Amino acid sequence: MKSRLVLGCLTTEGVVARARDEFDAVIADGKDDMSGTELVAAANAHQAAALLFTTTTRLDGAAIAALPASVRVAATVSVGYDHIDIAAARARGLIVTNTPDVLTDCTADHTMLMILAACRRGYEYEKIMREGWRRRIGQGELLGRRVSGKRLGIFGMGRIGRAVAARARGFGMEVLYHSRNRLPAELEAGARYVPTFEAMLPECDILTLHAPAGAATDRIVNARTLALLPPGAVFVNVSRGGLVDEDALFDALQSGRLFAAGLDVFRAEPDFDLRFAKLQNVFLTPHIASATQETRDGMGFRALDNAALVLSGQAPRDPLWR
Ligand code: DGY
């Protein structure tokens, strides 16, 4: 008999097909991912053994307490897990898994897109074209910033941070980083470690965030830390909006203290702060750094694999703790 799984997020045809094939699957059929309340309700209604969902579904302590005893594994289709109350999950004996590795390349590619678009005025050029162009642009007008030769500061040198570093080297950038721990030389691959976030900032022509959200990083980018960046620096965030004080970021962009930003993530999603949409020097995307066919298939398959392993009594591939 197949195990019952609630697929609480809208996902690719391939993932839906595999979920139907391998599980007794209850599939989200609305226009949106299930909320935490909807996921819990579906788990109870169907006495599910496994839950698949993504960052849009908040599984807080109350939601975890309301899950039926039948649920053994919560497999998030994401590498981040700040939408899950991990302490509550552990206390309940719920196994939680995520999907590392499979999204590293696409997320790093998207980071480069953001770096390039912010430095090279991607939004403004695109806007001019869609408005019809029709006017020569002088040699001294609408100039961007060259990326080669620039210092890229990476906050969070995990898998994604390192993949960004590898790409940045290809663009002739100098890479420095700050992470909780210094990496061994083979993983640093020439990147220079700076022992504190604050000490790194004055050296960053471009700052990119690749650290998880949480108490230690909440609003780590704020008026005080933004002021430590060199005037005219570029800021990129493809990690989580929670790392940023958005009022301070808006002020720094509007005043021109920052040259530009590339933002894929926001404190509130999808109802992001619309002031950013009014700024010409911001390149915006809707939290889609991993959104390629290949990667979204890979993430969903990895989550299904994790659920299947737990339900067959084996250790999952990507447990959040052991
Ligand atoms: C992740 O995997 O954490 C992404 O941000 C989700 O889209």
Side-chain angles (χ1 to χ4, degrees):
M1 209 176 71
K2 291 179 185 174
S3 302
R4 189 157 296 160
L5 169 138
V6 176
L7 179 49
C9 53
L10 305 176
T11 181
T12 67
E13 284 176 14
V15 174
V16 171
R18 255 195 68 183
R20 284 195 201 285
D21 199 39
E22 296 172 20
F23 295 86
D24 175 5
V26 177
I27 313 273
D29 57 0
K31 287 199 185 66
D32 207 345
D33 297 340
M34 288 182 188
S35 66
T37 310
E38 288 166 338
L39 188 69
V40 169
N44 277 289
H46 300 281
Q47 289 297 295
L51 308 175
L52 243 82
F53 55 99
T54 186
T55 53
T56 46
T57 303
R58 184 147 295 282
L59 216 56
D60 58 15
I64 288 169
L67 289 173
S70 56
V71 176
R72 289 164 54 199
V73 54
T76 181
V77 188
S78 63
V79 68
Y81 47 85
D82 48 298
H83 52 300
I84 305 169
D85 185 331
I86 296 301
R90 289 190 81 151
R92 181 204 177 272
L94 180 66
I95 295 174
V96 182
T97 63
N98 68 343
T99 60
D101 303 320
V102 282
L103 48 61
T104 299
D105 282 335
C106 282
T107 305
D109 290 347
H110 196 76
T111 305
M112 294 311 295
L113 171 70
M114 301 304 261
I115 291 172
L116 291 166
C119 289
R120 300 299 304 274
R121 306 180 86 127
Y123 167 68
E124 289 163 281
Y125 297 162
E126 163 80 358
K127 184 162 170 278
I128 287 168
M129 295 310 289
R130 289 185 190 273
E131 287 172 355
W133 191 11
R134 301 291 185 277
R135 177 181 82 77
R136 294 233 177 271
I137 294 173
Q139 287 270 305
E141 258 188 279
L142 281 171
L143 302 180
R145 296 283 159 95
R146 179 165 63 189
V147 297
S148 54
K150 293 286 162 43
R151 298 164 299 177
L152 175 69
I154 301 180
F155 175 58
M157 198 64 153
R159 298 175 184 86
I160 296 171
R162 296 198 300 275
V164 170
R167 284 157 176 74
R169 279 192 290 276
F171 278 85
M173 303 173 85
E174 178 189 337
V175 180
L176 45 152
Y177 75 98
H178 173 70
S179 259
R180 257 175 317 183
N181 300 306
R182 183 171 181 170
L183 299 177
E186 66 273 18
L187 292 184
E188 274 185 344
R192 177 159 55 88
Y193 178 65
V194 186
T196 67
F197 180 58
E198 280 81 357
M200 179 174 78
L201 296 177
E203 297 197 66
C204 297
D205 299 310
I206 301 161
L207 170 67
T208 182
L209 306 184
H210 299 286
T217 56
D218 189 55
R219 290 187 168 81
I220 194 162
V221 173
N222 53 45
R224 184 183 62 81
T225 52
L226 283 168
L228 295 172
L229 289 166
V234 167
F235 173 70
V236 167
N237 190 7
V238 179
S239 59
R240 286 290 184 270
L243 276 70
V244 178
D245 175 335
E246 291 185 338
D247 288 335
L249 178 61
F250 177 81
D251 289 346
L253 286 163
Q254 191 184 40
S255 68
R257 175 123 208 331
L258 286 180
F259 176 71
L263 305 176
D264 182 56
V265 289
F266 305 87
R267 291 195 79 85
E269 294 177 4
D271 304 319
F272 80 108
D273 185 338
L274 286 172
R275 288 180 302 168
F276 289 110
K278 301 255 183 317
L279 293 174
Q280 305 292 301
N281 56 345
V282 184
F283 188 81
L284 297 165
T285 54
H287 198 152
I288 43 73
S290 62
T292 61
Q293 181 74 54
E294 297 87 339
T295 290
R296 286 290 164 86
D297 279 343
M299 291 166 73
F301 294 157
R302 185 90 166 225
L304 288 170
D305 290 345
N306 279 316
L309 284 165
V310 172
L311 298 183
S312 66
Q314 299 173 69
R317 190 164 169 195
D318 309 300
L320 290 188
W321 60 87
R322 288 180 199 273

